PDB file of all heavy atoms in Angstrom:
ATOM      1  N   ALA A 289       2.066 185.253  63.290  1.00 37.00           N
ATOM      2  CA  ALA A 289       3.004 184.867  62.328  1.00 37.00           C
ATOM      3  C   ALA A 289       2.479 184.738  60.909  1.00 37.00           C
ATOM      4  O   ALA A 289       3.155 184.912  59.963  1.00 37.00           O
ATOM      5  CB  ALA A 289       3.479 183.463  62.715  1.00 37.00           C
ATOM      6  N   SER A 291       0.674 186.874  59.389  1.00 36.00           N
ATOM      7  CA  SER A 291       0.850 188.137  58.662  1.00 36.00           C
ATOM      8  C   SER A 291       2.287 188.547  58.558  1.00 36.00           C
ATOM      9  O   SER A 291       2.578 189.406  57.744  1.00 36.00           O
ATOM     10  CB  SER A 291       0.047 189.211  59.448  1.00 36.00           C
ATOM     11  OG  SER A 291       0.511 189.398  60.716  1.00 36.00           O
ATOM     12  N   ALA A 304       9.085 192.876  54.371  1.00 65.00           N
ATOM     13  CA  ALA A 304       9.424 193.193  55.693  1.00 65.00           C
ATOM     14  C   ALA A 304       8.361 192.971  56.674  1.00 65.00           C
ATOM     15  O   ALA A 304       7.180 193.227  56.360  1.00 65.00           O
ATOM     16  CB  ALA A 304      10.033 194.602  55.828  1.00 65.00           C
ATOM     17  N   GLY A 331      13.191 216.343  85.121  1.00 96.00           N
ATOM     18  CA  GLY A 331      14.601 216.404  84.473  1.00 96.00           C
ATOM     19  C   GLY A 331      14.833 215.163  83.641  1.00 96.00           C
ATOM     20  O   GLY A 331      14.038 214.720  82.862  1.00 96.00           O
ATOM     21  N   PRO A 389      10.827 218.024  80.494  1.00 94.00           N
ATOM     22  CA  PRO A 389      12.332 218.338  80.363  1.00 94.00           C
ATOM     23  C   PRO A 389      12.667 219.409  79.282  1.00 94.00           C
ATOM     24  O   PRO A 389      13.669 219.994  79.302  1.00 94.00           O
ATOM     25  CB  PRO A 389      12.834 216.942  79.955  1.00 94.00           C
ATOM     26  CG  PRO A 389      11.851 216.003  80.488  1.00 94.00           C
ATOM     27  CD  PRO A 389      10.517 216.669  80.448  1.00 94.00           C
ATOM     28  N   LYS A 462      -1.146 200.388  83.530  1.00 98.00           N
ATOM     29  CA  LYS A 462      -1.773 200.436  84.719  1.00 98.00           C
ATOM     30  C   LYS A 462      -0.658 200.464  85.858  1.00 98.00           C
ATOM     31  O   LYS A 462      -0.917 201.149  86.849  1.00 98.00           O
ATOM     32  CB  LYS A 462      -2.525 199.002  84.851  1.00 98.00           C
ATOM     33  CG  LYS A 462      -3.309 198.882  86.263  1.00 98.00           C
ATOM     34  CD  LYS A 462      -4.082 197.573  86.283  1.00 98.00           C
ATOM     35  CE  LYS A 462      -4.864 197.453  87.527  1.00 98.00           C
ATOM     36  NZ  LYS A 462      -5.625 196.238  87.697  1.00 98.00           N
TER      37      LYS A 462
END
Side-chain angles (χ1 to χ4, degrees):
S291 62
K462 185 176 181 180

